[in-house]
Amino acid sequence: METSLPSSAALSGLERVAIQLHPQDRSHRGRNAVFSILLSLAVIAAVVHETSSIELRRLPAMIPRSPAFWLVFAASYLVTPFSEWLIFRNLWGIPAAGFFALIRKKLYNELLLGYLGDAYFYTWARRRVALVAAPFGAVKDTAILSAMTGNAVTVLLLAIVLPLMGSHALGIEGPVLLLSLGVILAISIGAMAFRRRVFSLPREQLWMIGRMHLARIVISTVLSAVLWNFVLPDVALSWWFYLATLRLLVSRLPLIPNKDLLFAGITVVVLGEEHDIGTLMALMAGLILATHLVLGALIALHDLANNLDRRT
């Protein structure tokens, strides 16, 4: 029984057939646009809900009129997405549009659900950046190193502050403080012990990411102190640097409830009761929420306009 082989003409015809492969996660643009709009509207709803819990009547009188205040506030708000943009530009060479995607990431993480923004940025990178390998490993490593860098800074600050003030001056009971420190150390030691399984990037890139996160933490702390000094200039700037460091420490400690109330108590111990620290913290929170609202509205309008342009 003979089997006929395809002729050379048939083979040449087959070679001319172009087989096109399309990544499945880079299709469905209409669905992605609708989902992006829904996320933006959810951001607006979350901000409106949060602003209802803040007393806004007293805040406008405390806002400094100096343009320098708004420049520092903008730098403080954008330092996190900008540092992440530098990281991913170094890793992938992402364009300037990646900076706005990272602003979305910040909004989604802080207002909707933790790490929802990281998931959004992962899908954005898969659709927009030409990568040889999947970017999930880099996004994961960046998030883990952010937490580990914050933990390292917290341990260092505890080693400096505790001998000077003691746990009672911090308003934290000794057992709770030790348990929080234990959680921080356990997470960091576990990540380092299994680093070959946890991290995907090479060591040089991991060190680069760690340095970026450390610089971001330091710059954010300094900018917070400068902002507070604009609002309450009667307090020396050196005291604000000290309090900004303490706030960073308190915010990074796990298992500590009512961190804002705890920090307000620390400021009373350090500065006395004559300074309205509670109103200062409410002012900063209100300005951040207002910025979230403005950016969320602009993003929603931008997504809606792009979606309409695609349909017309």
Side-chain angles (χ1 to χ4, degrees):
M1 183 175 181
E2 296 182 356
T3 58
S4 60
L5 297 176
S7 63
S8 59
L11 288 174
S12 62
L14 289 174
E15 291 175 354
R16 289 195 297 267
V17 175
I19 301 176
Q20 297 181 354
L21 301 178
H22 300 281
Q24 296 299 310
D25 56 351
R26 300 185 187 182
S27 58
H28 311 296
R29 292 184 178 179
R31 185 185 306 172
N32 290 329
V34 172
F35 183 64
S36 182
I37 293 173
L38 292 177
L39 283 176
S40 301
L41 294 177
V43 168
I44 296 175
V47 171
V48 172
H49 174 72
E50 291 292 334
T51 52
S52 62
S53 62
I54 296 180
E55 180 63 42
L56 299 177
R57 290 177 296 178
R58 299 175 57 192
L59 301 186
M62 293 188 65
I63 299 178
R65 302 294 184 262
S66 171
F69 170 82
W70 295 107
L71 290 175
V72 176
F73 176 78
S76 176
Y77 187 89
L78 297 175
V79 64
T80 296
F82 182 72
S83 65
E84 292 177 337
W85 181 76
L86 291 177
I87 289 173
F88 290 109
R89 184 171 180 82
N90 186 290
L91 295 176
W92 304 334
I94 64 173
F99 178 69
F100 299 100
L102 289 164
I103 292 178
R104 287 179 184 255
K105 172 179 174 291
K106 175 184 177 73
L107 290 172
Y108 297 159
N109 279 346
E110 294 189 3
L111 291 177
L112 297 180
L113 184 65
Y115 295 105
L116 176 61
D118 295 85
Y120 163 79
F121 183 68
Y122 169 76
T123 59
W124 180 90
R126 289 291 298 150
R127 295 196 307 267
R128 305 293 181 84
V129 181
L131 299 171
V132 177
F136 176 76
V139 175
K140 168 183 62 68
D141 289 359
T142 301
I144 294 174
L145 281 173
S146 176
M148 291 185 62
T149 305
N151 290 344
V153 171
T154 302
V155 173
L156 177 62
L157 291 178
L158 277 175
I160 296 173
V161 170
L162 281 181
L164 298 176
M165 296 184 62
S167 60
H168 295 292
L170 286 176
I172 306 174
E173 296 181 358
V176 176
L177 183 60
L178 290 176
L179 185 59
S180 298
L181 181 59
V183 170
I184 292 174
L185 292 176
I187 294 174
S188 300
I189 292 173
M192 291 303 298
F194 298 97
R195 60 186 179 276
R196 294 184 179 179
R197 296 184 179 181
V198 172
F199 296 112
S200 306
L201 297 174
R203 180 179 299 179
E204 294 77 12
Q205 292 181 336
L206 293 177
W207 277 110
M208 180 273 298
I209 295 172
R211 290 193 298 269
M212 287 289 186
H213 283 311
L214 180 60
R216 184 253 307 165
I217 291 173
V218 173
I219 293 173
S220 297
T221 304
V222 171
L223 291 176
S224 294
V226 175
L227 280 175
W228 298 348
N229 184 251
F230 273 117
V231 180
L232 296 177
D234 295 338
V235 180
L237 183 59
S238 58
W239 280 111
W240 287 128
F241 284 132
Y242 178 64
L243 287 171
T245 304
L246 290 180
R247 181 172 175 78
L248 172 64
L249 171 59
V250 170
S251 66
R252 296 295 311 181
L253 285 174
L255 309 179
I256 305 295
N258 300 321
K259 295 181 180 181
D260 289 336
L261 183 61
L262 176 61
F263 178 71
I266 295 174
T267 57
V268 169
V269 173
V270 175
L271 300 179
E273 299 181 358
E274 64 273 12
H275 300 287
D276 198 350
I277 302 299
T279 305
L280 170 63
M281 295 297 106
L283 171 65
M284 293 296 110
L287 290 177
I288 291 173
L289 283 173
T291 306
H292 288 339
L293 176 58
V294 172
L295 292 178
L298 291 176
I299 287 172
L301 293 174
H302 178 267
D303 291 341
L304 181 60
N306 284 346
N307 192 34
L308 291 176
D309 289 340
R310 292 193 185 102
R311 293 179 181 273
T312 56

